Amino acid sequence: MAWGEGGHKGPRPFGDAFVADLRAVSAADEADEAGEVLVHGAQLGPLLGRHGVDLTGEECERLNGWLTVLLRVATDGTLTDAMRAATFTERGPGHLCVRLRHAARRSAVEPWEARLGAVAHPALRDHLRMLCLAEDDARSEGGFYGGDGPWPWTGVLEAVGCSLVAGWGFGESQAGTAVVRLPDQPEAR
């Protein structure tokens, strides 16, 4: 990361000892040319504890805007269950988002608006419509569907051996959800 007193991200939030330990536990063979490293949560948690770093603390407030965090949601391993988790429909009809201030009045981009007409349940149709907005319409509410095409975090997925099946973005690519194919390695499960 381009941290530094004069850098665009402000003063460095961590000391040299933390950075050295971070690089030592990095899952990538070496930092990429931008200096970014990849660390799995199992290594990051103990590292933060050893150095007394609280990511919820005030001193880390600016840092949190620059972290990319991939969370793996436990599913039963089926594509159906992964899609339920990625589209936030796994909790059932009582938890569908059907009334967002602006997104509920917007149509989904084609071909999704026409395809959503086949969904018989009105609340489910509205909930899914919220996830199929145009990218510009999803800047403040809702999401845009990117399929298996470019997704803001594709590089991170590839670095851990995953491949994108379907992805959604929210805001100005500040957050996203995806269905991914995990690598065929026991430690990735």
Side-chain angles (χ1 to χ4, degrees):
M1 295 184 177
W3 296 102
E5 295 300 327
H8 73 283
K9 295 180 185 176
R12 288 182 59 187
F14 305 120
D16 291 336
F18 179 85
V19 173
D21 281 356
L22 182 70
R23 290 189 188 284
V25 300
S26 173
D29 291 335
E30 57 186 70
D32 67 13
E33 60 244 14
E36 295 179 353
V37 295
L38 175 68
V39 179
H40 293 139
Q43 290 80 32
L44 182 59
L47 177 69
L48 294 171
R50 256 192 330 271
H51 288 273
V53 176
D54 176 7
L55 292 179
T56 64
E58 189 176 316
E59 68 279 0
C60 290
E61 188 174 329
R62 289 190 69 188
L63 169 69
N64 289 331
W66 296 98
L67 291 175
T68 297
V69 178
L70 294 179
L71 303 174
R72 180 172 179 247
V73 176
T75 67
D76 66 8
T78 64
L79 181 58
T80 299
D81 201 39
M83 290 296 288
R84 281 196 295 250
T87 60
F88 317 108
T89 58
E90 76 279 3
R91 293 177 61 197
H95 297 276
L96 298 174
C97 296
V98 294
R99 292 283 177 226
L100 290 178
R101 194 177 54 219
H102 300 293
R105 293 190 297 252
R106 294 188 177 128
S107 295
V109 295
E110 289 302 336
W112 301 114
E113 187 63 37
R115 290 178 180 170
L116 287 169
V119 177
H121 192 284
L124 178 59
R125 184 175 52 245
D126 287 346
H127 178 93
L128 294 174
R129 179 178 289 118
M130 172 200 70
L131 296 171
C132 296
L133 301 177
E135 191 168 352
D136 283 344
D137 289 341
R139 291 179 73 183
S140 63
E141 291 181 329
F144 61 93
Y145 176 68
D148 64 354
W151 192 62
W153 304 279
T154 300
V156 177
L157 290 176
E158 291 171 351
V160 294
C162 296
S163 57
L164 183 66
V165 174
W168 291 262
F170 304 96
E172 295 175 339
S173 295
Q174 296 162 331
T177 186
V179 174
V180 301
R181 184 170 291 110
L182 296 175
D184 199 16
Q185 301 167 351
E187 67 274 6
R189 303 274 176 219

